[in-house]
Amino acid sequence: MSVDVGFYGLAILMLLLALRVPVALSLVVVALGGMTVMFGWSTAIGMLSSTPYEFIAKWTLSAVPMFLLMGFVCYHTGLTNGLFSAAKVVFRWLPGGVAISSIVASSGFAAVSGSSVACSAAMGRIAIPEMVRGGYKPSFACGTIAAGGTIGALIPPSILMIVYGVFAQVSITQVFLGGITIGLLTALSYSLVILLVSWWRPDIVPREAVGSRDITARQALLDIWPVLVLGVLVFGGLFSGFFTATEAGAVGAAGAILIGLVLGRLNGRAMKAALLETLSTTSALLIIGVGASMFTLFLSLSGLAGFITGAVTGWELSYLELMLVVVLIYLFLGLFMEPFGAMLVTLPVLLPVFELYDVSLIWFGVLLVKLLEIGMITPPVGMNIFVIKGVAGQYASLMDIFRGVSTFLVADIVVVALVVFYPQIVLVLTGG
């Protein structure tokens, strides 16, 4: 009986999500309804009164607003504006060098952001106009930045990885270390795509560098020293074991504020904007997390999670067959769900399965974030695409941007295949 209630609850959840009901509300409604059917209204209300506190009171989650604040302060004070110009000093001589520079700059921005949307918005305003002036096809220029923005959630500090670490109860620092390798691999694959397109289709990506260097190497270092200092401070302390993830976030936020004040770029308006965006983003994430915690408890008490684990055992899927199913699930969910919702809806079901197969949950967390970020550039709800449309809509239509990003999706699939077949790509830095 309870398992049947679990199945009905899962079906209703999928229906609510298909009807575009907010993820948090869908999770809470299904969990409350299911608990009421199984145990009565008073038990359901008891869960509602205790679960939100039990989830939000996790100390590790305090890293989320701290890293968000660091990223928003850097964004609103312009501390990352020099990344693109600095990358051009090194890479502009290459065919498609301006586009490659935007990918490298996106990787640098990721180190102080943790958000693919923020990365896309920041780089889109700076890089797309220059690429278009340099002879790049506008759709490809926009697609490059939309794809490059996904690196923002791969290279730490990644907000998705922090939330995953809390739910899967694994070391966030270890997941961050795995994220470095897949983030760099993604950046390399995108750069190779740009080189190949410049070779085969010079009408889309110019083979020759256009224009002269904007700045000298010395000026480039002067422009990006705030990002370098924050990176060394935060990740040096985090990966050396001197800071926890939470402490690293606090140090990073304080460092960004201090640098902004020293440079005279942090005024009342910038600080207010950074604080408001931090509060709104944190609130949205936490309420989804509360709903997911309630839904997890509902699935556990209904016995559905155990039933599914037993069914998978009975199917005797091989590792590759299991991974194919998982990859297809997340690619499908990415078509219509935002990353946090897709992750928190599926983790209660999939984590026991991966534990059964003795799959590293650190490795899976990194792969999961990569799969979720692919959804940020796939139609019809690719959030990065809409962000680029908002900041550079005068250059390309929505359909043009989706076409421009399609080549990078091929590179993403190749990266996913490499990580599935060779898990050590991710685990090499974690010691796993």
Side-chain angles (χ1 to χ4, degrees):
M1 171 64 180
S2 295
V3 174
D4 291 339
V5 174
F7 271 114
Y8 283 125
L10 196 59
I12 293 170
L13 176 64
M14 293 299 106
L15 176 62
L16 292 175
L17 294 175
L19 294 173
R20 311 299 297 169
V21 177
V23 175
L25 181 60
S26 300
L27 290 166
V28 171
V29 166
V30 170
L32 275 178
M35 293 292 285
T36 301
V37 170
M38 291 189 298
F39 305 111
W41 179 245
S42 60
T43 302
I45 290 298
M47 177 186 67
L48 182 62
S49 65
S50 61
T51 303
Y53 172 78
E54 291 171 1
F55 173 75
I56 294 175
K58 291 184 173 70
W59 176 248
T60 311
L61 279 176
S62 59
V64 172
M66 292 295 97
F67 279 123
L68 284 172
L69 181 59
M70 179 178 73
F72 285 128
V73 168
C74 288
Y75 175 71
H76 286 290
T77 56
L79 297 183
T80 55
N81 288 351
L83 287 170
F84 180 55
S85 296
K88 285 190 295 179
V89 171
V90 181
F91 297 101
R92 191 161 189 164
W93 63 275
L94 288 169
V98 179
I100 292 173
S101 298
S102 72
I103 296 296
V104 174
S106 295
S107 303
F109 187 90
V112 294
S113 167
S115 166
S116 61
V117 170
C119 192
S120 298
M123 289 299 112
R125 291 188 178 95
I126 301 169
I128 291 174
E130 178 157 348
M131 281 193 276
V132 173
R133 287 195 301 269
Y136 287 75
K137 190 172 182 179
S139 60
F140 188 84
C142 293
T144 299
I145 303 302
T150 64
I151 301 173
L154 296 174
I155 293 179
S158 166
I159 306 304
L160 274 171
M161 290 180 181
I162 295 173
V163 176
Y164 171 82
V166 171
F167 265 84
Q169 298 182 18
V170 296
S171 167
I172 294 172
T173 302
Q174 294 289 88
V175 180
F176 276 180
L177 284 169
I180 292 175
T181 54
I182 200 169
L184 294 178
L185 181 61
T186 298
L188 176 62
S189 70
Y190 289 167
S191 299
L192 289 175
V193 165
I194 295 166
L195 286 171
L196 290 174
V197 172
S198 71
W199 180 260
W200 283 322
R201 294 290 304 273
D203 57 313
I204 295 177
V205 176
R207 290 185 186 177
E208 302 296 330
V210 179
S212 59
R213 289 182 177 177
D214 298 296
I215 58 175
T216 63
R218 180 176 179 276
Q219 183 61 46
L221 282 174
L222 290 175
D223 284 347
I224 65 172
W225 75 261
V227 175
L228 295 177
V229 169
L230 282 175
V232 171
L233 183 66
V234 172
F235 301 116
L238 180 62
F239 297 139
S240 68
F242 191 74
F243 298 149
T244 64
T246 300
E247 292 165 345
V251 169
I257 292 171
L258 182 60
I259 292 172
L261 289 171
V262 169
L263 296 178
R265 299 183 185 180
L266 184 61
N267 53 33
R269 177 182 294 180
M271 192 67 204
K272 179 181 178 181
L275 287 172
L276 287 176
E277 291 187 48
T278 299
L279 288 171
S280 62
T281 306
T282 301
S283 300
L285 296 180
L286 289 182
I287 195 169
I288 294 175
V290 166
S293 293
M294 295 175 63
F295 184 68
T296 301
L297 181 61
F298 160 63
L299 288 185
S300 176
L301 293 176
S302 72
L304 180 60
F307 178 84
I308 292 175
T309 303
V312 172
T313 305
W315 295 337
E316 297 183 348
L317 295 177
S318 69
Y319 163 76
L320 290 179
E321 290 171 336
L322 174 66
M323 290 314 305
L324 177 62
V325 171
V326 170
V327 168
L328 291 176
I329 287 173
Y330 281 110
L331 291 180
F332 172 72
L333 291 178
L335 297 178
F336 62 91
M337 287 186 71
E338 51 83 32
F340 282 99
M343 178 174 71
L344 297 180
V345 164
T346 53
L347 283 184
V349 175
L350 292 179
L351 283 179
V353 174
F354 279 103
E355 290 175 344
L356 179 70
Y357 274 74
D358 198 28
V359 171
S360 167
L361 294 185
I362 292 172
W363 170 84
F364 174 61
V366 175
L367 176 65
L368 171 60
V369 173
K370 176 62 182 175
L371 291 170
L372 293 171
E373 286 305 300
I374 293 176
M376 295 292 281
I377 54 175
T378 53
V381 193
M383 185 61 68
N384 282 11
I385 305 296
F386 289 95
V387 169
I388 295 300
K389 174 63 177 174
V391 301
Q394 69 270 35
Y395 298 109
S397 67
L398 204 58
M399 289 306 299
D400 286 337
I401 301 173
F402 275 120
R403 281 192 289 268
V405 85
S406 59
T407 312
F408 296 98
L409 286 171
V410 176
D412 281 331
I413 297 302
V414 172
V415 169
V416 168
L418 287 172
V419 171
V420 169
F421 281 100
Y422 305 102
Q424 282 304 121
I425 291 175
V426 167
L427 298 175
V428 62
L429 294 181
T430 68

